[in-house]
Amino acid sequence: KNEVEQSPQNLTAQEGEFITINCSYSVGISALHWLQQHPGGGIVSLFMLSSGKKKHGRLIATINIQEKHSSLHITASHPRDSAVYICAVAYNNNDMRFGAGTRLTVKP
Amino acid sequence: NAGVTQTPKFRVLKTGQSMTLLCAQDMNHEYMYWYRQDPGMGLRLIHYSVGEGTTAKGEVPDGYNVSRLKKQNFLLGLESAAPSQTSVYFCASRRWGYTFGSGTRLTVV
């Protein structure tokens, strides 16, 4: 079945930098989710999208259905953005496959 | 407004022991899920439920059983724990977006 590939696996940035995390998948999906996993382990849902672009504060998520690709952007990054960012694709209501995550470290 | 609560947070089991992980949600969500997270791998679905009294197998169901006797609770059971079940377990519930519990770190020795 589908594989979800994220890049990069690890990313270190300086505070204030613009961050981009990429996610690619291989077959058609019903929706794509971006999740954030804090150093303590908790997972928070950031976005769910099936087309276009969504923005919440400094976070922007885009998806290109034709190219089977999504990006998560963080503008003006801050050390508190340090976390693992996970891309997950949903085939239907209950079959969701997760990427291995991108570990982001933002240095002050 | 607790969201999704998982108990326990940590547990160490000996091989062959049994245990039950409890997931409780107070959002009246129909859908509930159990995932495991292993190093270097994405979350993998163990079992899920689309409503009270229903359960279904996910991607990696072997060695686990589940029950959803009440809408707000989703229990994950390990009848005879094995070292391969050492993992971090996450419960989630869903209406539109997902709400995750804080995880249970299980070690089987």
Side-chain angles (χ1 to χ4, degrees), chain A residues 1-3 24-30 65 68 89-91:
Chain A
K1 227 173 183 176
N2 189 49
E3 282 196 356
S24 297
Y25 53 93
S26 56
V27 298
I29 61 172
S30 61
I65 297 295
K68 298 182 175 60
V89 298
Y91 298 106

Side-chain angles (χ1 to χ4, degrees), chain B residues 50-100:
Chain B
V50 300
E52 181 179 313
T54 73
T55 63
K57 294 180 180 180
E59 186 183 357
V60 289
D62 294 342
Y64 305 95
N65 57 77
V66 288
S67 64
R68 184 106 181 261
L69 299 179
K70 293 183 178 180
K71 187 176 184 179
Q72 63 267 36
N73 296 334
F74 194 29
L75 279 63
L76 178 71
L78 286 73
E79 290 187 346
S80 180
S84 61
Q85 293 177 304
T86 294
S87 188
V88 181
Y89 292 85
F90 285 95
C91 174
S93 70
R94 180 177 72 83
R95 176 166 289 160
W96 299 114
Y98 285 76
T99 302
F100 285 84

Side-chain angles (χ1 to χ4, degrees), chain A residues 14-92:
Chain A
Q14 290 297 132
E15 183 173 356
E17 287 185 359
F18 181 82
I19 303 293
T20 296
I21 298 169
N22 297 298
C23 176
S24 297
Y25 53 93
S26 56
V27 298
I29 61 172
S30 61
L32 184 142
H33 298 255
W34 281 103
L35 311 170
Q36 179 191 53
Q37 186 166 24
H38 298 289
I43 300 174
V44 175
S45 179
L46 298 175
F47 295 103
M48 180 178 72
L49 58 161
S50 54
S51 65
K53 174 180 174 179
K54 287 191 176 181
K55 184 175 188 292
H56 185 259
R58 295 180 294 107
L59 273 60
I60 303 166
T62 64
I63 187 169
N64 185 317
I65 297 295
Q66 287 72 32
E67 294 186 4
K68 298 182 175 60
H69 180 269
S70 176
S71 293
L72 177 68
H73 305 286
I74 304 175
T75 62
S77 59
H78 190 276
R80 65 175 175 266
D81 297 325
S82 297
V84 175
Y85 292 85
I86 300 169
C87 171
V89 298
Y91 298 106
N92 54 46

Side-chain angles (χ1 to χ4, degrees), chain B:
Chain B
N1 195 12
V4 176
T5 302
Q6 287 184 235
T7 54
K9 295 192 184 305
F10 303 93
R11 185 74 185 268
V12 178
L13 283 181
K14 292 183 178 179
T15 298
Q17 286 185 320
S18 64
M19 78 164 295
T20 300
L21 282 68
L22 171 63
C23 177
Q25 54 100 358
D26 61 0
M27 298 168 287
N28 203 36
H29 289 172
E30 293 290 342
Y31 297 89
M32 295 187 75
Y33 308 84
W34 275 107
Y35 296 96
R36 60 178 289 172
Q37 186 178 41
D38 300 297
M41 301 180 70
L43 288 152
R44 292 181 292 168
L45 180 64
I46 304 170
H47 286 279
Y48 65 94
S49 169
V50 300
E52 181 179 313
T54 73
T55 63
K57 294 180 180 180
E59 186 183 357
V60 289
D62 294 342
Y64 305 95
N65 57 77
V66 288
S67 64
R68 184 106 181 261
L69 299 179
K70 293 183 178 180
K71 187 176 184 179
Q72 63 267 36
N73 296 334
F74 194 29
L75 279 63
L76 178 71
L78 286 73
E79 290 187 346
S80 180
S84 61
Q85 293 177 304
T86 294
S87 188
V88 181
Y89 292 85
F90 285 95
C91 174
S93 70
R94 180 177 72 83
R95 176 166 289 160
W96 299 114
Y98 285 76
T99 302
F100 285 84
S102 57
T104 296
R105 186 172 295 274
L106 175 66
T107 302
V108 183
V109 298

